[in-house]
Amino acid sequence: MNEPLISIAMDDPHRHYQPGDRLVCDYQLDAVSAASIVAVESSILWLTSGKGDEDLGVHFFLRRQASEAEIDLRALFRFESALPNSPLSYDGSSIKIHWLIRIKVFLEGEREFCQDLSFQLGSLPSALEATA
Amino acid sequence: MARLFGLLQKKRGQRTTGSRLAGVVGEVMIFGIVLLLGLISLGWLLFNPEQTSDLGMMYVLNISLILIGGGGIMMAVVQYGISAERRKAITLGRPALDVMQDNLPSAHRFPTIPPDADTTDSPGVRLRYRLPQTESHFWPILAATLFFGSWAIVTVTLAAAVGVGFWQSTPNWLFVCLLPGCLIVSSWSGKYFLQQLSGLTRIGPTVLEISQHPLVPGTECDVFLSQSGLLQFKSFKVTLVCEEQTSYHQGTDLRVEAVAVFRDRLIMHKDQTVRPGTALEDEFTLSIPETAMHSFRGQYNRIQWKLVVEGRSLSMPTFTHSFPIIVHPRMKQEGTA
């Protein structure tokens, strides 16, 4: 069976937000039958990459289950949240902090599919130049 | 050309290398064997008519096996059923939220930024806050004392044994051969111990006071420095440093690396003499760059701002003291973030 198509869109086409801004996100599923969807998880999270092990922080989390909702989980769905003051997106020398929206779809047969859409929080340039 | 294996570097590529289901099945099998072992041996103990003296220990061992096996299976199954994001949300006390409802308020106004309670709970004499120091004098001097003490005991005992051997005309040649090595280690550790002791007695407390805290990029604040003691400094400097600290697992080892991404020398004194009653004192300005990253503390990664005091002396080894400071991001009303 093919992977479900997960479409994510944010209210800011440039995907650039400041702390305290309200992020509005829409997502929609396609190319999958409604009956096969067990649950859909949407989260706004940050994670680190670079030399160290990965840190993960979840700012917003919402799980919708097929058994709880009589509605079609594939339909266009909107969620929103005010973004926190920290951590800001950062492109450092050995640490990078990324903000992203992650939609995870759980299908029958213990299969899961994930789609991320990154965005920028704050306006920090890349790592400061080290000075002697 | 094929790349050589990097034995001393972090592995690259995907973090997960196989099927999650296969991993869980493997874990369940391993913990299942441990559980089974515990149950079988517990049954054997319960129905065995022979009673041994260490029966209590056997019961403890069996119950441990059952707990480890059962707990491991439960953890593996629960972790398989719950996504990493959901686990994190539950840990942070942010369960699933209703549609269109605002996110639950964060317990902290600045998540992932360390609290500044340690800094602001000590009032300064000249300026508002006295910064705490990260290093302790106690552990280095304790380590030097124990190392020197143990080697001194070994060397004296060995020397006594060699002396008695020669006195009785039956020298132990193995002891004779070991003695010079022990003398070298003892004299080196004795010298190191005396250096540490001398540093402890001659280098007085370093005091750094700051006019405001936490700091924000693009702002300035006053800093007051006081260094007391009894020695002559060849050079004495204070530097503002922003450091990225990362920790990662390499096999069973936990490695930690630090990279300074910003360094600004605030003051530099040369050929200064410090005596009791005449401390080296200076007041200067510290400014956080407009585009600086704020402090950050994750489980494995950290961005730390600190003031580093470094003193070089003619008669003493170089000493370095670090004073961490917290930098918050700029808020909307203060400018762009």
Side-chain angles (χ1 to χ4, degrees), chain B residues 97-118:
Chain B
L97 302 170
D98 290 338
V99 183
M100 299 298 287
Q101 196 180 28
D102 204 356
N103 199 3
L104 291 177
S106 172
H108 201 287
R109 189 169 163 243
F110 293 100
T112 70
I113 295 181
D116 64 341
D118 288 346

Side-chain angles (χ1 to χ4, degrees), chain B residues 195-212:
Chain B
Q195 273 184 347
Q196 291 290 319
L197 197 67
S198 171
L200 192 71
T201 52
R202 292 177 63 189
I203 302 171
T206 309
V207 175
L208 270 185
E209 294 179 4
I210 197 163
S211 61
Q212 68 177 70

